[in-house]
């Protein structure tokens, strides 16, 4: 029970700046990235004319992601498809990672969702400037009247906060509920079902929502 | 018995605030998600072929409307674990 608030930190002094690093998040993120790369190489080595089970699952995933981007982004879908497919796979594995004993979800640390949200923010605005030109892009901030400009800026920044806190809150809340209930029942019988709900179900839904919202923001900004 | 100190009062207020934040914060998402599920049921009843699409859209909408409840949860967690008094 006492380990809920404990954050493992590693402090580095670099050119006079003090950096505080949560080494568990860094380790788990790299482990997930390595897993994804290894999976990609396994699938790549088995590509054949008549697909085996591994290739079939990979093709199912790729075509589902392709359909999703095509429905939302229409013409520019090819440019964003790699991002969307990778982001969903990464977040899915991140949210499921806590099910493996001894590992923690990187999304339980606010830094992971926040950095992904900021990536989406910069991507959205770059795509918007590229699609409309800087003049039309700036003009959108004064949309109904000129006075509304500060409100529109805050609205854009609030998107980053809402998208990252949604993922963080869901995973962190689930992890805390799992810890507290496991402590109450002495880890008997109940925890696997909690992991199935908070890890698998909520994790899948939240990974999907995060990916979906990122592409929706891009689609709205480029329209 | 030497009375309640200021630290204990801050702790008590933080715990009370955490409970109230979660309690009031859960009202909105509860109503909203129930409304979304009800409407999705109506839509599936009218048009059962589209059940898969409707369920997916409903889940995404619910997860988005849940975010206000999640903000309340984050505030509660901050009050419980960060405010030591």
């Amino acid at each position: 029970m006492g380990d809920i608030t404990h954050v493992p930190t590693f402090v580095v002094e670099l050119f006079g700046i003090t950096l505080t690093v949560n080494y568990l998040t860094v380790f788990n993120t790299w482990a997930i990235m390595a897993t994804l790369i290894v999976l990609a190489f396994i699938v790549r080595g088995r590509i054949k004319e008549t697909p085996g089970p591994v290739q079939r699952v990979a093709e199912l995933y790729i075509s589902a992601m392709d359909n999703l981007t095509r429905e939302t982004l229409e013409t520019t879908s090819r440019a964003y498809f790699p991002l969307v497919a990778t982001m969903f796979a990464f977040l899915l594995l991140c949210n499921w990672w806590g099910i493996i004993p001894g590992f923690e979800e990187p999304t339980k640390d606010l830094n992971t969702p926040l950095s992904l949200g900021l990536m989406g923010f910069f991507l959205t605005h770059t795509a918007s400037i590229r699609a409309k030109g800087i003049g039309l892009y700036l003009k959108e901030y004064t949309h109904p009247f000129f006075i509304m400009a500060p409100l529109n800026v805050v609205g854009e920044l609030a998107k980053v906060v809402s998208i990252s806190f949604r993922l963080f809150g869901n995973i962190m809340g689930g992890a805390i509920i799992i810890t507290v209930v496991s402590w109450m029942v002495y880890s008997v019988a109940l925890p696997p079902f909690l992991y199935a709900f908070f890890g698998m179900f909520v994790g899948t839904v939240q990974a999907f929502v995060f990916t979906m919202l990122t592409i929706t923001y891009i689609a709205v900004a480029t329209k | 018995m030497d009375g309640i100190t200021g630290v204990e009062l801050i702790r008590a207020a933080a715990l009370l605030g955490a409970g109230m934040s979660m309690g009031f914060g859960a009202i909105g998402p509860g109503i909203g998600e129930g409304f979304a599920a009800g409407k999705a049921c109506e839509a599936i009843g009218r048009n059962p072929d589209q059940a898969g699409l409707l369920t997916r859209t409903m889940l995404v909408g619910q997860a988005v409307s849940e975010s206000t409840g999640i903000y309340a949860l984050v505030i509660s967690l901050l009050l419980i674990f960060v405010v030591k008094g």
Side-chain angles (χ1 to χ4, degrees):
Chain A
M1 265 294 272
D3 58 350
I4 292 177
T5 48
H6 176 69
V7 178
T9 48
F10 178 68
V11 180
V12 201
E13 287 275 352
L14 205 68
F15 307 118
I17 307 161
T18 317
L19 297 171
T20 311
V21 180
N22 182 345
Y23 58 84
L24 222 55
T25 305
V26 175
F27 167 73
N28 283 323
T29 311
W30 279 98
I32 285 165
M33 287 193 284
T35 314
L36 280 177
I37 291 169
V38 167
L39 276 177
F41 273 113
I42 289 172
V43 172
R44 193 184 167 200
R46 292 185 182 205
I47 290 180
K48 271 177 258 153
E49 197 72 28
T50 47
V54 179
Q55 193 185 343
R56 240 175 273 162
V57 172
E59 277 179 7
L60 204 68
Y61 175 74
I62 293 292
S63 63
M65 284 291 121
D66 194 36
N67 278 337
L68 197 73
T69 37
R70 223 180 274 269
E71 276 168 23
T72 325
L73 288 166
E74 287 146 15
T75 49
T76 52
S77 70
R78 292 313 298 180
Y80 294 105
F81 166 70
L83 171 89
V84 172
T86 315
M87 197 189 236
F88 183 68
F90 176 70
L91 282 175
L92 199 65
L93 216 58
C94 273
N95 294 346
W96 287 1
W97 203 243
I99 296 171
I100 308 168
F103 289 100
E104 272 191 17
E105 301 95 335
T107 34
K108 223 172 88 174
D109 185 350
L110 181 57
N111 294 309
T112 309
L114 197 60
S115 50
L116 284 172
L118 280 174
M119 185 185 80
F121 172 80
F122 286 117
L123 208 69
T124 308
H125 287 259
T126 319
S128 180
I129 291 171
R130 206 179 275 170
K132 293 176 195 158
I134 188 94
L136 207 62
Y137 166 78
L138 287 174
K139 206 183 160 205
E140 276 211 338
Y141 281 100
T142 61
H143 181 44
F145 320 107
F146 178 70
I147 308 160
M148 301 295 270
L151 223 62
N152 284 329
V153 172
V154 172
E156 286 299 318
L157 292 176
K159 276 182 186 172
V160 183
V161 176
S162 82
I163 200 174
S164 48
F165 269 80
R166 182 178 302 121
L167 183 58
F168 161 71
N170 271 289
I171 305 303
M172 184 74 183
I176 286 177
I177 290 170
I178 289 172
T179 316
V180 171
V181 174
S182 301
W183 175 77
M184 284 197 299
V185 299
Y186 298 100
S187 297
V188 173
L190 220 48
F193 300 104
L194 290 174
Y195 275 111
F197 180 74
F198 289 108
M200 308 283 281
F201 179 68
V202 174
T204 312
V205 170
Q206 290 305 323
F208 183 69
V209 165
F210 194 98
T211 319
M212 199 66 209
L213 279 179
T214 306
I215 44 178
T216 313
Y217 288 161
I218 294 171
V220 169
T222 50
K223 208 161 269 175
Chain B
M1 293 290 277
D2 44 12
I4 299 166
T5 60
V7 175
E8 284 164 347
L9 201 64
I10 290 172
R11 186 87 186 119
L15 288 176
L16 196 65
M20 278 166 71
S21 153
M22 201 58 243
F24 285 120
I27 295 173
I31 295 172
E33 286 184 33
F35 195 71
K39 285 282 178 193
C41 283
E42 271 176 31
I44 291 172
R46 228 179 287 128
N47 181 343
D49 317 334
Q50 296 291 312
L53 176 73
L54 286 166
T55 312
R56 202 172 68 210
T57 317
M58 181 194 80
L59 278 177
V60 172
Q62 284 185 331
V64 170
S65 67
E66 201 182 52
S67 56
T68 49
I70 295 297
Y71 299 155
L73 177 72
V74 171
I75 299 289
S76 295
L77 293 179
L78 284 177
L79 284 172
I80 293 171
F81 294 118
V82 178
V83 180
K84 292 290 181 199

